[in-house]
Amino acid sequence: MDLKEKLVSSFMAFEDGLDLDHPVHEERSNAIKNFETKGFPTKKDEAWKYTSLKGLQKIDFSIFPKQETTLEYKDVKKYFLHEIDAYKIVFVDGVYSSYLSETTHDGVDVCLMSSAFSKPMFKQVIEVYFNKAASKDESLTSLNTAFSKEGAYIYIPKNKMPKKPIQILHLATGNEAALMLQPRNLIVAEDNAEVQIIERHQSLTGNEVFTNCVTEIFAGKDAIVDYYKVQNDAPTASLVDNTYISQKNSSVVRVHTFSLGGKLIRNNLNFYQNGERIDSTLKGVTILGDKQHVDHHTLVHHAQPNCESHQDYKGIFGDSSTGVFNGKIIVDKIAQKTDAFQQNNNILLSDKSTINSKPQLEIFADDVKCSHGCTIGQLDEEAMFYLRSRGIPKKEAKALLMYAFANNVLESVRIPELKVRINKIIADKLGVRMGFDL
Amino acid sequence: MLEIKNLHASVDDKEILKGIDLKVNAGEVHAIMGPNGSGKSTLAEVIAGQEEFEVGEGNIFLEGEDLEELSPEERAHKGVFLSFQYPVEIPGVSVTNFMKTAINESRKAQGLEDMPANEMLKKIREKSEMLEIDRKFLSRSLNEGFSGGEKKRNEIFQMAMMEPKLAILDETDSGLDIDALRIVANGVNKLRSKDNAIIVITHYQRLLEYIVPDFVHVLYNGKIVKSGTKELALELEEKGYDWLKEEAAV
């Protein structure tokens, strides 16, 4: 049985035991129908031209996670940003781990989707927001919606800000030979609220993991949301991340994506600007080696006047790794005075590495400022010689130049400890020890 | 200190250095002058180990050791320093961090521990004061957005920090106004000692009024066509290079 059939035929068993009168039931039923019709995307779909999910579909994934495996905090501590005090929402093989988590209902709600689905106090928020930003058309998003049951639920009421940042961590223990996970996160920052979130998926063994994640983020008027995606997973872990962001007047949402490890990563990052004077920022650092593959598909939909968007993606590709950057910007006819900026710079370290970079601009307004640029090059030989002539060995000089290249993405990270951590991951990856942090 | 014998170097099969002989003793300052395209910068970069150039015949010895097989970083560890004509901008790496890394890498190569932080700071303070460099400047990204003069001053600051045996200053005077030139030359003069040697590459006599050379060589078409004392520089300033070109053509 192929993966699609397995998923479709398991849907009834999945819903068994869930509340079928709940409004979400209908969303799930419609979603599974859409997935059944469309199936997994193939290379014939323009948006999936360079990323194939064929290999993954041949693997016999378990789709219902087993009971929680007990993990000791000390064994997984390194996957947390433990240098800072933070709320934590932790899942082990898709199941919530209360032992590793630290949630709150103190003025803000930092808890679970399963609670939000079942408890009456969250019903209204679910009705207003759940599945309202996510696509009802895209098949993998529909697949996730159909199986939506667990994930992070974060609700920040008007004028509130949680006392500390929030970490969402999905761990896979390898208690199944191959495991498919479909976390569903809902993040709502009401008017003038502010929140910082770090999300990470981590497989702890060499067993296959395939995560199809959907996150919906809603930013009210004047809200500020900083979202950091740390993608440094095991070489047998694949991730399709679908993030949908809906912004209202004068809100600021910044998403940083650090793609530093994993087998296959596909990021579908979608911004919808439903108000004026909105600021959307999308930044990414991708550093790959071996046969790793990362595909960034971004969309910024400017639907109202006087808004800005800033995209800056840097990629460094070694060995036989492959990268894709597809940045789509839509400016509606009424979205005058839009200022949309997009930049994608890449360095290829080997003859066998590849990057496909494509800007896609659809502009229907006539008074806008849209700029985009894309570069593909090698490490600057002049700069290498300069550093080496100062006694810095080749490997370290190379690392230093990569830091320099990725730096303007890193410098907008607003959690200093996270910046240090990313630097460390990069240094480890390059096998160097830098005598300082940037 | 430095001995160059019959050095040939080419890039993309085009020969640029066509047999250079040069001997620089410890304690000496040599100036290399010459028209554009004569091979001055190539000579500087070949000594520093730029791999872009193919070194054919000939050898470079530093304190009797043949440098041929050594990488640029190994040459730096042995005390070769090149002040670049066009220093490269490295965003995201501060001047201070860059110097820390450079100095500690050199120490590591010599089997020494990292320089203690307070010693490093003291040295940075001392050398930046000597070159009248603002403290704020040191936390800026290396060469990024620096004016031409700031870049050159920063090169000499690095030289002061690294304390090389052999320093090659490639057109350090270009881009400097007269005040900056005086400060930079002063710094270089303070670094002069009987144990090190300096090669100054320049177009103009101007810098040599401040950094007075023991010997002046004229490089033309990949060869040293004339050598003399500091008076030769004055003669060149007055007469230009044409008479030498004619002489060389004969």
Side-chain angles (χ1 to χ4, degrees), chain A residues 91 144 150-152 170 181-185 201 211-215:
Chain A
F91 304 93
N144 177 287
E150 192 57 289
H170 297 274
L181 295 169
Q182 300 211 64
R184 177 72 173 220
N185 306 315
H201 302 262
T211 304
N212 177 41
C213 184
V214 171
T215 303

Side-chain angles (χ1 to χ4, degrees), chain A residues 307-322:
Chain A
C307 294
E308 293 178 23
S309 65
H310 309 271
Q311 295 189 58
D312 190 354
Y313 277 76
K314 310 275 187 209
I316 299 174
F317 302 90
D319 304 325
S320 303
S321 62
T322 49

Side-chain angles (χ1 to χ4, degrees), chain B residues 1-5 22-24 59-64:
Chain B
M1 176 67 65
L2 177 77
E3 190 167 7
I4 298 175
K5 285 184 183 163
L22 181 67
K23 196 171 174 197
V24 180
N59 300 84
I60 305 168
F61 299 94
L62 183 75
E63 295 187 309

